[in-house]
Amino acid sequence: MNTTTRLAAGLPDAVHETQHAFRAALDALARPGQIRRIGAPLPGVALGGAMARLLLTLCDDETPVWLQSGDPALQSWLRFHTGATLADSPMLAGFAIMTEIGRAPALADFAVGTAAAPEFSSTLLIELPALEGGPALDWSGPGIEVMQGVRLQGLPADFWTQWQANQASFPQGVDIIFTCDEHAIGLPRTTQVGRTGGV
Amino acid sequence: MTSNTSTQYFSERQAWLAVLARASRIELEAKLELANESLLTLQRVRPAEVGMLMLRGRVGGTGNPFNLGEASVVRCAVRLGNGPLGVAYALGRDKRRAELAAVFDALLQDPQHHDDLQSKLIEPLATAQSQARDQLQGEVATSKVEFFTLVRGDA
């Protein structure tokens, strides 16, 4: 009789490792476009190291999590270690976890908060194939001195059009943390994105 | 597996978890030899951690629930090799105690070790615990006071 399907372990030293990951996530959002290291992958968890650690750091019983993948092992892992509930739809998500951005809902489908309470918006954690080597884009805005060149890989063609709309709806809108394996890049709703050398 | 046997399984497990939760660290440590070889493959799925929980009670056992107060509690989840997940909750802040109880829970779910542990660990502990409870109840019973409302003669 084995009702538990190989539940993977959490962080061995939860206090210090979540503090480290939280600080890195804070830095990533304060300095949009700069790559931060979050930490090594966790054994038995079907997520990159950065994504898994951010989930354990950010989620608790007050943050409904929307998972793009329906992997039951992942769901029970998340619920066991964080106590987070699973959101039924993206609109209800405190955090949305996406591992296949090409097949993900549009940014407008997530919670954007209200004008009076813009903090009630979803934060999107998106796993990408690579944080470097993609099409060159210039990011600018708060936290960036002049321009920050970023070359994210694997985003769908209309993603940045959606982002323009998201950015324009400030103070409402979603914030994004892109992850790849052990690293992360923050994209807060204040950041403007344009093609390098024009537009 | 039918729901009947599964209900039975859960109540059995509830019973041994209750015994483990009340057992002292010394009692558990003394029986650790029963687990010896399995400990080599110990994996801490959730390392022992201390937290608080709110105890609630009902006045007279039937009234509205009220918050009695907070208690510190320690919990732990472990796995031995590829076996089932062992969990433990215990009052107090003794992390080692919760870890030992979780190890024994994992072993008790393993058919290979179940009978051995049930007879050498759980049954003696359960007997000792119920004896201690009976003794305490016996001591307290002598001071029990019953209140009656007497009907007045002029009623």
Side-chain angles (χ1 to χ4, degrees):
Chain A
M1 168 107 192
N2 189 358
T3 47
T4 46
T5 50
R6 291 296 289 141
L7 185 68
L11 297 168
D13 179 10
V15 172
H16 295 101
E17 287 175 76
T18 52
Q19 279 178 2
H20 172 82
F22 189 82
R23 179 61 204 235
L26 216 54
D27 280 348
L29 286 169
R31 298 273 175 251
Q34 293 185 13
I35 296 179
R36 303 283 163 174
R37 185 174 180 275
I38 309 279
L42 303 176
V45 182
L47 290 172
M51 181 72 92
R53 284 165 184 270
L54 284 174
L55 278 174
L56 293 183
T57 303
L58 300 173
C59 302
D60 64 13
D61 57 344
E62 291 178 1
T63 57
V65 176
W66 183 79
L67 288 168
Q68 188 185 19
S69 106
D71 181 1
L74 188 58
Q75 292 178 352
S76 55
W77 173 79
L78 182 70
R79 293 176 57 188
F80 181 83
H81 289 292
T82 67
T85 52
L86 297 175
D88 294 329
S89 78
M91 192 50 91
L92 301 172
F95 292 100
I97 313 309
M98 281 169 284
T99 38
E100 276 182 276
I101 184 65
R103 296 165 57 187
L107 293 186
D109 291 344
F110 293 94
V112 294
T114 61
E119 71 275 21
F120 290 116
S121 60
S122 306
T123 299
L124 279 46
L125 303 179
I126 302 176
E127 180 83 9
L128 294 179
L131 301 177
E132 290 171 304
L137 294 168
D138 277 335
W139 291 15
S140 59
I144 300 170
E145 193 166 10
V146 185
M147 283 286 184
Q148 173 76 45
V150 183
R151 292 169 157 270
L152 297 176
Q153 260 188 36
L155 289 169
D158 66 340
F159 182 83
W160 295 111
T161 323
Q162 293 181 40
W163 181 256
Q164 251 175 359
N166 183 67
Q167 200 270 325
S169 67
F170 185 84
Q172 287 161 268
V174 300
D175 305 303
I176 300 179
I177 299 176
F178 295 106
T179 63
C180 175
D181 203 10
E182 300 189 3
H183 297 89
I185 283 184
L187 176 59
R189 63 191 83 173
T190 49
T191 300
Q192 296 164 29
V193 176
R195 279 203 190 83
T196 298
V199 192
Chain B
M1 173 167 283
T2 65
S3 68
N4 188 28
T5 54
S6 133
T7 317
Q8 195 191 341
Y9 171 80
F10 283 116
S11 62
E12 268 175 40
R13 188 169 174 212
Q14 261 176 353
W16 80 58
L17 282 172
V19 172
L20 289 174
R22 293 190 183 96
S24 74
R25 171 179 173 173
I26 297 161
E27 287 169 324
L28 294 175
E29 202 93 58
K31 303 285 179 147
L32 197 56
E33 69 208 55
L34 296 172
N36 239 345
E37 281 157 43
S38 322
L39 288 179
L40 299 172
T41 56
L42 178 72
Q43 188 202 356
R44 292 174 178 85
V45 176
R46 174 157 59 202
E49 57 188 11
V50 178
M52 302 275 276
L53 61 80
M54 176 62 77
L55 299 176
R56 309 189 80 195
R58 286 176 188 274
V59 179
T62 52
N64 289 332
F66 67 97
N67 291 344
L68 184 68
E70 282 179 332
S72 50
V73 64
V74 56
R75 66 174 180 181
C76 181
V78 302
R79 176 179 285 120
L80 300 168
N82 276 333
L85 192 73
V87 298
Y89 280 76
L91 284 172
R93 290 171 299 158
D94 190 342
K95 292 184 177 181
R96 174 74 177 159
R97 178 180 160 204
E99 199 169 277
L100 290 168
V103 166
F104 284 126
D105 176 45
L107 285 172
L108 277 157
Q109 291 176 75
D110 183 348
Q112 244 188 329
H113 296 94
H114 175 86
D115 295 343
D116 193 33
L117 279 172
Q118 187 74 33
S119 60
K120 289 186 187 156
L121 173 73
I122 299 297
E123 280 164 18
L125 282 177
T127 317
Q129 286 173 9
S130 78
Q131 272 170 3
R133 193 166 49 238
D134 288 347
Q135 195 193 343
L136 186 67
Q137 274 175 353
E139 283 166 15
V140 174
T142 56
S143 64
K144 188 175 178 183
V145 180
E146 306 247 15
F147 292 94
F148 299 101
T149 306
L150 296 176
V151 181
R152 284 167 50 159
D154 57 354

